[in-house]
Amino acid sequence: MVSKLDYGVQTYSYKTLVNASTVITQQLSSVAIFIAMHLYMKDHSVSAQTLWLIMSTLSVIGYIANFILNNSAGQRLSFTLFVKHLKTSLLFQGCSAALSPVLVSLTETISTDTIYTMTTSMLLANLLLFNYDTSHDAVPGAMSFSAAIFSSVCLASRLHTPWHAFTTVTSAFELFALWPSLRKNIKEKYPMIHQCVTVVIVLLCMACLGSKTLVGAVIYCALVLLITFACTALFHFLQSLKNNISGPWDEAVIHSSSVLMAEHSTS
């Protein structure tokens, strides 16, 4: 048995893998927050207006933070670009408000079980199709974002008033479109702050879910531990197996065209 090392394989430390897994944990937390918001609005624990105000305030704070991060990197925000962003935001808010009465009664003929099944499928698709490569500009990804918006439309149709539908759709846009872009900037420029933000978000999700469904909070906590520590530990262990080449394989030899023609003629 021949055994030798594959020196072309890049290995990662366990700490590096745990830090990299925070991107997945944060996206999972976004889904958990979205579900918790739906539960709060469904049983009238928090009004839709209050949640909309909270999410809008956080969006403004996030926009300012994103501006500061870009400014520190030498990317200055012009007044023209700011006006463009403001017009886009107002246009989206206006369209969402206009369509909210339609969204409330959009799926009245579809059973609630079917709606929740479609919502679960779309949220899983959001997690699976999300672009976790923070070095790529296509954040969060068209298919992932579309799945999240579809799930928000499904959940909005099971709430009470147009205000609830409006808050659900706009919150989905903020959680699954704006928040990933800010996370990407934070991770690139301030990795330590990104890790602290992850811890805060996980604790917030556990508190929100725990106040509504203990089972949901336990499942969320188990998934976070599995992704952050167990899966990374397994990957770290498997690296040692990938680093070895064992077996009686023949090395590939590249022949020139003249040699191949000579071999073909002799055969």
Side-chain angles (χ1 to χ4, degrees):
M1 178 70 68
V2 179
S3 178
K4 61 181 180 179
L5 292 178
D6 183 6
Y7 295 101
V9 175
Q10 182 179 1
T11 58
Y12 302 92
S13 65
Y14 181 68
K15 181 180 179 181
T16 301
L17 294 174
V18 171
N19 292 336
S21 69
T22 56
V23 180
I24 306 176
T25 303
Q26 287 190 358
Q27 185 63 19
L28 178 64
S29 300
S30 297
V31 173
I33 291 175
F34 182 66
I35 295 173
M37 289 179 59
H38 174 74
L39 296 177
Y40 276 108
M41 287 189 290
K42 186 178 180 181
D43 63 2
H44 301 283
S45 298
V46 181
S47 66
Q49 293 88 337
T50 302
L51 283 177
W52 177 82
L53 183 61
I54 293 174
M55 294 300 296
S56 299
T57 303
L58 291 176
S59 296
V60 173
I61 295 174
Y63 185 84
I64 296 173
N66 200 45
F67 165 73
I68 295 174
L69 290 173
N70 290 333
N71 192 41
S72 63
Q75 303 174 2
R76 298 189 178 276
L77 178 66
S78 63
F79 180 75
T80 305
L81 185 59
F82 171 75
V83 172
K84 180 181 178 180
H85 291 168
L86 182 61
K87 289 172 61 177
T88 303
S89 176
L90 293 177
L91 179 62
F92 176 77
Q93 296 275 343
C95 292
S96 299
L99 294 175
S100 294
V102 179
L103 296 178
V104 173
S105 58
L106 184 63
T107 59
E108 284 184 348
T109 58
I110 303 177
S111 66
T112 301
D113 292 340
T114 303
I115 290 296
Y116 285 153
T117 301
M118 289 193 298
T119 301
T120 303
S121 301
M122 290 300 102
L123 291 177
L124 288 175
N126 172 265
L127 291 172
L128 293 175
L129 300 175
F130 184 79
N131 178 29
Y132 294 102
D133 183 9
T134 55
S135 62
H136 198 276
D137 292 334
V139 176
M143 296 185 66
S144 175
F145 177 66
S146 299
I149 294 299
F150 184 84
S151 66
S152 70
V153 172
C154 291
L155 290 181
S157 64
R158 284 301 178 266
L159 293 174
H160 315 288
T161 65
W163 252 111
H164 289 83
F166 173 70
T167 301
T168 301
V169 174
T170 54
S171 298
F173 181 82
E174 292 160 356
L175 281 172
F176 299 111
L178 303 181
W179 173 227
S181 299
L182 178 59
R183 288 185 347 226
K184 174 178 176 290
N185 272 346
I186 295 176
K187 183 176 176 60
E188 288 180 351
K189 298 176 176 64
Y190 300 100
M192 289 299 298
I193 296 180
H194 182 267
Q195 297 171 20
C196 295
V197 169
T198 303
V199 175
V200 172
I201 292 175
V202 169
L203 295 177
L204 176 64
C205 289
M206 291 180 61
C208 293
L209 288 175
S211 63
K212 289 300 173 185
T213 165
L214 183 60
V215 175
V218 171
I219 293 175
Y220 168 76
C221 183
L223 288 175
V224 170
L225 294 176
L226 178 67
I227 293 171
T228 307
F229 300 106
C231 291
T232 52
L234 178 61
F235 183 85
H236 185 263
F237 169 74
L238 293 176
Q239 285 184 121
S240 59
L241 303 179
K242 185 179 180 181
N243 200 32
N244 288 329
I245 298 179
S246 302
W249 299 300
D250 295 329
E251 295 183 0
V253 178
I254 301 176
H255 296 283
S256 63
S257 58
S258 58
V259 174
L260 291 176
M261 292 178 62
E263 291 179 353
H264 180 71
S265 60
T266 55
S267 61

